[in-house]
């Protein structure tokens, strides 16, 4: 299970680098916060386009290396290159005689393309987990994905909080903190993706020979199929998607601005004289390190609860409640806090509680003037983050497998568009030194496109649609933050844009613009908690 989900560690290094260092990096180049919020539309835009489309293409991919791994490998190569360009963009632009304006353009374009490529990798990593595991292991697989996501966050924030110039030397992996962080993130995703691609035996889709390969479907056909599926979602999946939608309006400003928010509070209220914005020689590194320290605690809380939650929450499936048996090493710890089965929250109930906790925590964001208080609030959010990351994919994976196993088997070309030729249950390479067996699925594109009885074929589509409901609220969050920053902080950052004249800086007095965005997100999270009522099994 670790090898199957190890790829997510590398992904979190990339997202973590964006969340901790890219915002202050762009502000240090002279971008205003209102303009910066438009840059982060790259995340939702790339997810909106790439994940569902790549999901559908990879569902029908008939290459010899499987359906998901070719996209994982190709996307990883692109991410490595783009992280290198981002870290060294000032030097690259300088080689061609460009100035600060050209550097901003290159950095913004690079971030846009980087987000698109990361989403290719993320889509196929998640689909690989869902279509590799049987229905009874979907919740456990999602729990493992949440654990390694938390571990990846913990590792990247720990790296970002260190003074890498002092540890690695002034030139190794670059001559600035930002360059070193980008280089380490590139190395991490290459290693993590390589481990999963090597270790997991993926089922290969084979053509019946009487149709065009699914991978050759036109973009128009793919979009039409996606639209048709989105407009006719089964009610349980629709309910999951709406909770995801409202909760992510709250998570968007937290993920992209919380590190900068903590760093700004430090520079404005808690920084010693030698680290003040006026005297600091490297404000970008100072803000990045302080923000990373807060996110280390956030990641630690998230990682710890991602391990414990599967053992203190029960399944909402029909039938008797089920709690996985804890590992032997954790059993002495959990035995002391073991709850009666009737006291354990179901997964939908846990998701509701998580949204309420996030809302209560972020309501205080506009009035925080202490970096310690800000760090505490960020740390508390690790609990709802671990629950949300686990619950949404676990519930979706369960529903996908229910659909796969409940649809009737029909005859002829109206039968399943996938017919499993191998009956083996192996999902990972065994310890047997003999060559691993290749698992095959036969695909018949003459079958009705609406009939899906294979988990693999459903996984890419429905996880892509779940991603739509994750990315669309980020457009809403982008619009909200643009308006807030335009009103409260319309100039350049006085903490980071030290090259700009004082008259171009926005005021550091009054309510924090990021704090107001976090407050609005808290209100939306409370509505997401209300929407959890429709998931069933919440009480």
């Amino acid at each position: 299970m670790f090898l199957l989900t190890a790829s997510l560690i590398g992904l979190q290094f990339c997202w973590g680098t964006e969340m901790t260092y890219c915002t202050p990096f762009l502000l240090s180049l002279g971008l205003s916060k209102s303009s910066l919020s438009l840059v982060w539309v790259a995340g939702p835009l790339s997810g909106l386009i790439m994940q569902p489309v790549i999901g559908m293409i990879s569902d029908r991919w008939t290459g010899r290396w499987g359906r998901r791994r070719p996209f994982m490998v190709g996307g990883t190569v692109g991410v490595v290159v783009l992280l290198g360009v981002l870290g060294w963009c000032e030097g690259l632009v300088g080689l061609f005689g460009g100035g600060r304006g050209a550097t901003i353009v290159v950095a913004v374009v690079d971030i846009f393309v980087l987000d698109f490529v990361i989403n290719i990798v993320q889509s196929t990593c998640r689909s690989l987990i869902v279509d590799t595991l049987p229905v009874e292991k979907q919740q456990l697989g999602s729990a493992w994905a949440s654990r390694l996501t938390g571990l990846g966050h913990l590792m990247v924030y720990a790296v970002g909080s260190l003074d890498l110039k002092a540890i690695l030397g002034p030139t190794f992996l670059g001559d600035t903190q930002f360059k070193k962080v980008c280089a380490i993130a590139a190395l991490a995703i290459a290693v993590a993706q390589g481990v999963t691609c090597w270790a997991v035996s993926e089922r290969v889709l084979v053509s019946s020979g009487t149709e065009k390969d699914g991978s050759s479907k036109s973009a128009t056909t793919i979009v039409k199929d996606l639209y048709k599926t989105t407009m006719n979602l089964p009610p349980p999946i629709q309910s999951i998607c709406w909770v995801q939608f409202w909760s992510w309006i709250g998570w968007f400003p937290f993920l992209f601005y919380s590190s900068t928010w903590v760093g700004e509070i430090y520079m404005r209220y808690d920084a010693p004289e030698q680290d003040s914005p006026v005297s600091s020689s490297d404000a970008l590194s100072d803000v990045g390190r302080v923000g990373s320290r807060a996110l280390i605690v956030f990641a630690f809380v998230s990682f710890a609860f991602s391990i414990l939650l599967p053992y203190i929450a029960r399944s909402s499936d029909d039938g008797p409640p089920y709690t996985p048996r804890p590992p032997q090493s954790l059993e002495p710890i959990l035995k002391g806090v073991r709850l009666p089965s009737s006291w354990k929250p179901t997964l939908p109930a846990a998701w509701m509680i998580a949204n309420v906790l996030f809302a209560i925590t972020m309501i205080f964001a506009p009035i925080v003037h202490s970096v310690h208080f800000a760090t505490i609030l960020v740390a508390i959010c690790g609990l709802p983050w671990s629950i949300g990351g686990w619950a949404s994919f676990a519930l979706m994976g369960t529903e996908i497998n229910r659909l796969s196993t409940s649809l009737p088997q029909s005859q002829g070309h109206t039968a399943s568009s996938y017919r499993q030729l191998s009956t083996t249950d192996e999902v990972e390479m065994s310890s047997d030194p003999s060559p691993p067996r290749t698992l095959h699925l036969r695909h018949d594109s003459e079958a009705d496109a609406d009939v899906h009885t294979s988990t693999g074929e459903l996984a890419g589509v429905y996880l892509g649609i779940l991603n739509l409901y994750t990315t669309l609220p980020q457009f809403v969050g982008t619009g909200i933050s643009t308006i807030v920053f335009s009103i409260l902080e319309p100039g350049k950052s006085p903490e980071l844009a030290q090259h700009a004249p004082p008259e171009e800086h926005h005021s550091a007095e009054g309510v924090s613009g990021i704090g107001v965005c976090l407050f609005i997100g808290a209100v939306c999270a409370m509505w997401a908690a209300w929407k959890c009522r429709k998931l069933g099994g919440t009480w």
Side-chain angles (χ1 to χ4, degrees), residues 455-526:
T455 301
E457 187 165 6
L458 288 169
V461 176
Y462 283 121
L463 288 181
I465 292 171
L466 179 64
N467 187 68
L468 290 178
Y469 282 82
T470 304
T471 55
L472 288 174
Q474 296 179 54
F475 286 104
V476 178
T478 297
I480 292 172
S481 58
T482 300
I483 295 171
V484 170
F485 292 144
S486 297
I487 295 173
L488 298 179
E489 297 176 342
K492 297 180 180 180
S493 170
E495 293 83 14
L496 292 164
Q498 298 178 359
H499 63 279
E503 59 270 16
E504 294 184 8
H505 292 159
H506 65 72
S507 174
E509 303 295 330
V511 179
S512 165
I514 297 178
V516 172
C517 292
L518 293 172
F519 176 85
I520 296 172
V523 175
C524 294
M526 191 63 77

Side-chain angles (χ1 to χ4, degrees), residues 328-353:
Q328 193 169 8
S329 59
L330 290 177
E331 193 164 4
I333 301 174
L334 294 175
K335 189 177 294 184
V337 295
R338 186 168 292 169
L339 300 174
S341 180
S342 60
W343 290 12
K344 296 174 183 177
T346 62
L347 201 51
W351 201 5
M352 175 186 289
I353 294 169

Side-chain angles (χ1 to χ4, degrees), residues 277-362:
V278 176
S279 58
S280 177
S281 59
D282 191 1
L284 169 59
S285 295
D286 292 339
V287 170
R289 281 196 294 269
V290 172
S292 292
R293 289 181 195 130
L295 290 176
I296 285 176
V297 188
F298 163 83
F300 178 79
V301 172
S302 176
F303 178 61
F305 274 96
S306 68
I307 294 175
L308 297 176
L309 282 171
Y311 307 110
I312 60 177
R314 58 188 173 91
S315 172
S316 58
D317 295 343
D318 296 332
Y322 166 71
T323 298
R325 181 181 179 88
Q328 193 169 8
S329 59
L330 290 177
E331 193 164 4
I333 301 174
L334 294 175
K335 189 177 294 184
V337 295
R338 186 168 292 169
L339 300 174
S341 180
S342 60
W343 290 12
K344 296 174 183 177
T346 62
L347 201 51
W351 201 5
M352 175 186 289
I353 294 169
N355 282 301
V356 171
L357 179 59
F358 177 76
I360 293 173
T361 303
M362 286 294 103

Side-chain angles (χ1 to χ4, degrees), residues 138-200:
Q138 286 296 322
Q139 187 163 323
L140 181 60
S142 186
W144 267 94
S146 182
R147 291 168 190 168
L148 295 199
T149 295
L151 178 61
H153 277 136
L154 185 61
M155 293 170 67
V156 69
Y157 298 146
V159 169
S161 69
L162 300 173
D163 187 347
L164 296 178
K165 291 181 69 174
I167 296 173
L168 300 178
T171 58
F172 182 65
L173 296 181
D175 56 0
T176 68
Q177 177 89 357
F178 184 60
K179 290 179 181 178
K180 295 177 188 294
V181 171
C182 288
I184 292 172
L187 180 63
I189 191 171
V191 172
Q193 296 293 323
V195 167
T196 295
C197 289
W198 165 79
V200 177

Side-chain angles (χ1 to χ4, degrees), residues 130-143:
V130 172
D131 59 32
T132 299
L133 297 176
V135 62
E136 64 272 12
K137 291 187 178 181
Q138 286 296 322
Q139 187 163 323
L140 181 60
S142 186

Side-chain angles (χ1 to χ4, degrees), residues 40-49 51-52 119 226-227 230-231 233 238 241-242 244-250 252 464-480:
W40 292 129
V41 78
L45 182 63
S46 59
L48 182 68
I49 296 173
Q51 289 210 31
N119 271 286
L226 181 63
Y227 176 80
T230 304
M231 292 295 102
L233 289 175
Q238 182 72 75
C241 290
W242 276 118
Q244 187 83 337
F245 177 90
W246 287 104
S247 63
W248 264 88
I249 296 179
F252 174 75
I465 292 171
L466 179 64
N467 187 68
L468 290 178
Y469 282 82
T470 304
T471 55
L472 288 174
Q474 296 179 54
F475 286 104
V476 178
T478 297
I480 292 172

Side-chain angles (χ1 to χ4, degrees), residues 42-80:
L45 182 63
S46 59
L48 182 68
I49 296 173
M50 297 306 296
Q51 289 210 31
V53 171
I54 291 298
M56 296 193 74
I57 293 176
S58 63
D59 282 343
R60 297 166 170 81
W61 192 262
T62 57
R64 59 176 297 192
W65 301 109
R67 291 173 292 165
R68 317 298 181 187
R69 288 181 294 180
F71 296 91
M72 292 168 66
V73 172
T76 298
V77 172
V79 169
V80 170

